[in-house]
Amino acid sequence: MDSLIFDEKKKEFTVLDGSLGKYSFYDVVSSQIVYEDAKYKDKSPMFSHKVLVSTLNLSIFIEMKKVYVGIEIQFLNGNKVYVYISKSPVIQHNFQFKQDLKVAKCLNEKLKEFYK
């Protein structure tokens, strides 16, 4: 969980991979897990090429698509910041994808505590 650090004392969190910076807990209005098409990373704005991830393994094309797992955080002012969970591209539904998704779910649940 080295992409996002929470500071309970200062009521802020720091994004270390993605939209770098420190942000207040009180400004968060929503968050969600998102997936970026790996071929667009660093070639366009973060997560501007989102991918829908299928829960069913019916298509080889869906399974073989490489993505970055991340979190989108929206603030009161409408701005969004992004956190990369994946350190390198992962293939949907493989072991590393599942590990990154597990971390993303944990961090997203922590973020939800701020805007419930």
PDB file of all heavy atoms in Angstrom, residues 21-36:
ATOM      1  N   GLY A  21       0.575  14.399  -4.375  1.00  0.00           N
ATOM      2  CA  GLY A  21       0.218  15.515  -3.506  1.00  0.00           C
ATOM      3  C   GLY A  21      -0.470  15.065  -2.235  1.00  0.00           C
ATOM      4  O   GLY A  21      -0.724  13.881  -2.017  1.00  0.00           O
ATOM      5  N   LYS A  22      -0.750  16.068  -1.376  1.00  0.00           N
ATOM      6  CA  LYS A  22      -1.464  15.848  -0.118  1.00  0.00           C
ATOM      7  C   LYS A  22      -2.865  16.424  -0.254  1.00  0.00           C
ATOM      8  O   LYS A  22      -3.043  17.511  -0.810  1.00  0.00           O
ATOM      9  CB  LYS A  22      -0.744  16.513   1.047  1.00  0.00           C
ATOM     10  CG  LYS A  22       0.566  15.856   1.381  1.00  0.00           C
ATOM     11  CD  LYS A  22       1.191  16.450   2.630  1.00  0.00           C
ATOM     12  CE  LYS A  22       2.503  15.739   2.870  1.00  0.00           C
ATOM     13  NZ  LYS A  22       2.966  15.845   4.220  1.00  0.00           N
ATOM     14  N   TYR A  23      -3.836  15.682   0.269  1.00  0.00           N
ATOM     15  CA  TYR A  23      -5.232  16.074   0.146  1.00  0.00           C
ATOM     16  C   TYR A  23      -5.945  15.868   1.480  1.00  0.00           C
ATOM     17  O   TYR A  23      -5.628  14.950   2.226  1.00  0.00           O
ATOM     18  CB  TYR A  23      -5.917  15.247  -0.955  1.00  0.00           C
ATOM     19  CG  TYR A  23      -5.202  15.311  -2.278  1.00  0.00           C
ATOM     20  CD1 TYR A  23      -4.264  14.349  -2.648  1.00  0.00           C
ATOM     21  CD2 TYR A  23      -5.444  16.350  -3.161  1.00  0.00           C
ATOM     22  CE1 TYR A  23      -3.604  14.416  -3.863  1.00  0.00           C
ATOM     23  CE2 TYR A  23      -4.788  16.426  -4.381  1.00  0.00           C
ATOM     24  CZ  TYR A  23      -3.867  15.456  -4.718  1.00  0.00           C
ATOM     25  OH  TYR A  23      -3.205  15.532  -5.922  1.00  0.00           O
ATOM     26  N   SER A  24      -6.945  16.705   1.747  1.00  0.00           N
ATOM     27  CA  SER A  24      -7.699  16.645   2.992  1.00  0.00           C
ATOM     28  C   SER A  24      -8.786  15.574   2.938  1.00  0.00           C
ATOM     29  O   SER A  24      -9.473  15.429   1.925  1.00  0.00           O
ATOM     30  CB  SER A  24      -8.341  18.007   3.270  1.00  0.00           C
ATOM     31  OG  SER A  24      -9.235  17.910   4.357  1.00  0.00           O
ATOM     32  N   PHE A  25      -8.960  14.865   4.045  1.00  0.00           N
ATOM     33  CA  PHE A  25     -10.041  13.895   4.164  1.00  0.00           C
ATOM     34  C   PHE A  25     -11.396  14.560   3.918  1.00  0.00           C
ATOM     35  O   PHE A  25     -12.287  13.975   3.329  1.00  0.00           O
ATOM     36  CB  PHE A  25     -10.091  13.307   5.580  1.00  0.00           C
ATOM     37  CG  PHE A  25      -8.979  12.368   5.939  1.00  0.00           C
ATOM     38  CD1 PHE A  25      -8.858  11.924   7.246  1.00  0.00           C
ATOM     39  CD2 PHE A  25      -8.058  11.908   5.017  1.00  0.00           C
ATOM     40  CE1 PHE A  25      -7.856  11.056   7.621  1.00  0.00           C
ATOM     41  CE2 PHE A  25      -7.041  11.034   5.376  1.00  0.00           C
ATOM     42  CZ  PHE A  25      -6.943  10.605   6.691  1.00  0.00           C
ATOM     43  N   TYR A  26     -11.543  15.791   4.390  1.00  0.00           N
ATOM     44  CA  TYR A  26     -12.830  16.484   4.374  1.00  0.00           C
ATOM     45  C   TYR A  26     -13.291  16.899   2.979  1.00  0.00           C
ATOM     46  O   TYR A  26     -14.453  17.232   2.794  1.00  0.00           O
ATOM     47  CB  TYR A  26     -12.771  17.719   5.277  1.00  0.00           C
ATOM     48  CG  TYR A  26     -12.390  17.384   6.695  1.00  0.00           C
ATOM     49  CD1 TYR A  26     -11.192  17.825   7.230  1.00  0.00           C
ATOM     50  CD2 TYR A  26     -13.231  16.609   7.498  1.00  0.00           C
ATOM     51  CE1 TYR A  26     -10.837  17.521   8.535  1.00  0.00           C
ATOM     52  CE2 TYR A  26     -12.885  16.294   8.799  1.00  0.00           C
ATOM     53  CZ  TYR A  26     -11.686  16.745   9.322  1.00  0.00           C
ATOM     54  OH  TYR A  26     -11.336  16.433  10.611  1.00  0.00           O
ATOM     55  N   ASP A  27     -12.387  16.893   2.012  1.00  0.00           N
ATOM     56  CA  ASP A  27     -12.723  17.316   0.652  1.00  0.00           C
ATOM     57  C   ASP A  27     -13.220  16.174  -0.237  1.00  0.00           C
ATOM     58  O   ASP A  27     -13.705  16.407  -1.340  1.00  0.00           O
ATOM     59  CB  ASP A  27     -11.513  17.972  -0.017  1.00  0.00           C
ATOM     60  CG  ASP A  27     -11.132  19.287   0.638  1.00  0.00           C
ATOM     61  OD1 ASP A  27     -12.014  19.912   1.257  1.00  0.00           O
ATOM     62  OD2 ASP A  27      -9.958  19.683   0.535  1.00  0.00           O
ATOM     63  N   VAL A  28     -13.115  14.936   0.228  1.00  0.00           N
ATOM     64  CA  VAL A  28     -13.480  13.770  -0.579  1.00  0.00           C
ATOM     65  C   VAL A  28     -14.993  13.571  -0.584  1.00  0.00           C
ATOM     66  O   VAL A  28     -15.632  13.566   0.463  1.00  0.00           O
ATOM     67  CB  VAL A  28     -12.788  12.493  -0.039  1.00  0.00           C
ATOM     68  CG1 VAL A  28     -13.206  11.272  -0.839  1.00  0.00           C
ATOM     69  CG2 VAL A  28     -11.275  12.642  -0.062  1.00  0.00           C
ATOM     70  N   VAL A  29     -15.564  13.422  -1.788  1.00  0.00           N
ATOM     71  CA  VAL A  29     -17.002  13.150  -1.890  1.00  0.00           C
ATOM     72  C   VAL A  29     -17.299  11.763  -2.464  1.00  0.00           C
ATOM     73  O   VAL A  29     -18.381  11.221  -2.247  1.00  0.00           O
ATOM     74  CB  VAL A  29     -17.757  14.218  -2.715  1.00  0.00           C
ATOM     75  CG1 VAL A  29     -17.739  15.551  -2.017  1.00  0.00           C
ATOM     76  CG2 VAL A  29     -17.227  14.326  -4.120  1.00  0.00           C
ATOM     77  N   SER A  30     -16.354  11.186  -3.192  1.00  0.00           N
ATOM     78  CA  SER A  30     -16.552   9.836  -3.713  1.00  0.00           C
ATOM     79  C   SER A  30     -15.213   9.242  -4.162  1.00  0.00           C
ATOM     80  O   SER A  30     -14.236   9.962  -4.361  1.00  0.00           O
ATOM     81  CB  SER A  30     -17.541   9.824  -4.888  1.00  0.00           C
ATOM     82  OG  SER A  30     -16.987  10.469  -6.010  1.00  0.00           O
ATOM     83  N   SER A  31     -15.234   7.922  -4.313  1.00  0.00           N
ATOM     84  CA  SER A  31     -14.053   7.225  -4.831  1.00  0.00           C
ATOM     85  C   SER A  31     -14.528   5.929  -5.480  1.00  0.00           C
ATOM     86  O   SER A  31     -15.580   5.394  -5.131  1.00  0.00           O
ATOM     87  CB  SER A  31     -13.052   6.935  -3.717  1.00  0.00           C
ATOM     88  OG  SER A  31     -13.612   6.070  -2.747  1.00  0.00           O
ATOM     89  N   GLN A  32     -13.745   5.476  -6.441  1.00  0.00           N
ATOM     90  CA  GLN A  32     -14.075   4.223  -7.109  1.00  0.00           C
ATOM     91  C   GLN A  32     -12.818   3.599  -7.695  1.00  0.00           C
ATOM     92  O   GLN A  32     -11.840   4.297  -7.986  1.00  0.00           O
ATOM     93  CB  GLN A  32     -15.118   4.430  -8.200  1.00  0.00           C
ATOM     94  CG  GLN A  32     -14.638   5.276  -9.356  1.00  0.00           C
ATOM     95  CD  GLN A  32     -15.687   5.406 -10.450  1.00  0.00           C
ATOM     96  OE1 GLN A  32     -16.635   4.633 -10.518  1.00  0.00           O
ATOM     97  NE2 GLN A  32     -15.525   6.392 -11.315  1.00  0.00           N
ATOM     98  N   ILE A  33     -12.867   2.295  -7.869  1.00  0.00           N
ATOM     99  CA  ILE A  33     -11.762   1.582  -8.505  1.00  0.00           C
ATOM    100  C   ILE A  33     -11.924   1.732 -10.012  1.00  0.00           C
ATOM    101  O   ILE A  33     -13.025   1.585 -10.544  1.00  0.00           O
ATOM    102  CB  ILE A  33     -11.753   0.108  -8.079  1.00  0.00           C
ATOM    103  CG1 ILE A  33     -11.519   0.013  -6.558  1.00  0.00           C
ATOM    104  CG2 ILE A  33     -10.689  -0.673  -8.855  1.00  0.00           C
ATOM    105  CD1 ILE A  33     -11.696  -1.363  -5.986  1.00  0.00           C
ATOM    106  N   VAL A  34     -10.825   2.049 -10.690  1.00  0.00           N
ATOM    107  CA  VAL A  34     -10.835   2.223 -12.139  1.00  0.00           C
ATOM    108  C   VAL A  34      -9.662   1.453 -12.750  1.00  0.00           C
ATOM    109  O   VAL A  34      -8.709   1.101 -12.060  1.00  0.00           O
ATOM    110  CB  VAL A  34     -10.765   3.719 -12.542  1.00  0.00           C
ATOM    111  CG1 VAL A  34     -12.047   4.436 -12.187  1.00  0.00           C
ATOM    112  CG2 VAL A  34      -9.581   4.416 -11.894  1.00  0.00           C
ATOM    113  N   TYR A  35      -9.771   1.200 -14.037  1.00  0.00           N
ATOM    114  CA  TYR A  35      -8.746   0.452 -14.769  1.00  0.00           C
ATOM    115  C   TYR A  35      -8.355   1.247 -16.003  1.00  0.00           C
ATOM    116  O   TYR A  35      -9.218   1.673 -16.765  1.00  0.00           O
ATOM    117  CB  TYR A  35      -9.285  -0.922 -15.187  1.00  0.00           C
ATOM    118  CG  TYR A  35      -9.925  -1.664 -14.044  1.00  0.00           C
ATOM    119  CD1 TYR A  35     -11.297  -1.583 -13.823  1.00  0.00           C
ATOM    120  CD2 TYR A  35      -9.160  -2.419 -13.173  1.00  0.00           C
ATOM    121  CE1 TYR A  35     -11.891  -2.243 -12.760  1.00  0.00           C
ATOM    122  CE2 TYR A  35      -9.740  -3.086 -12.101  1.00  0.00           C
ATOM    123  CZ  TYR A  35     -11.113  -2.991 -11.901  1.00  0.00           C
ATOM    124  OH  TYR A  35     -11.698  -3.637 -10.855  1.00  0.00           O
ATOM    125  N   GLU A  36      -7.059   1.420 -16.185  1.00  0.00           N
ATOM    126  CA  GLU A  36      -6.563   2.160 -17.343  1.00  0.00           C
ATOM    127  C   GLU A  36      -5.941   1.193 -18.345  1.00  0.00           C
ATOM    128  O   GLU A  36      -5.170   0.306 -17.961  1.00  0.00           O
ATOM    129  CB  GLU A  36      -5.510   3.178 -16.903  1.00  0.00           C
ATOM    130  CG  GLU A  36      -4.931   3.972 -18.054  1.00  0.00           C
ATOM    131  CD  GLU A  36      -3.917   5.001 -17.605  1.00  0.00           C
ATOM    132  OE1 GLU A  36      -2.982   4.636 -16.871  1.00  0.00           O
ATOM    133  OE2 GLU A  36      -4.065   6.162 -17.994  1.00  0.00           O
TER     134      GLU A  36
END
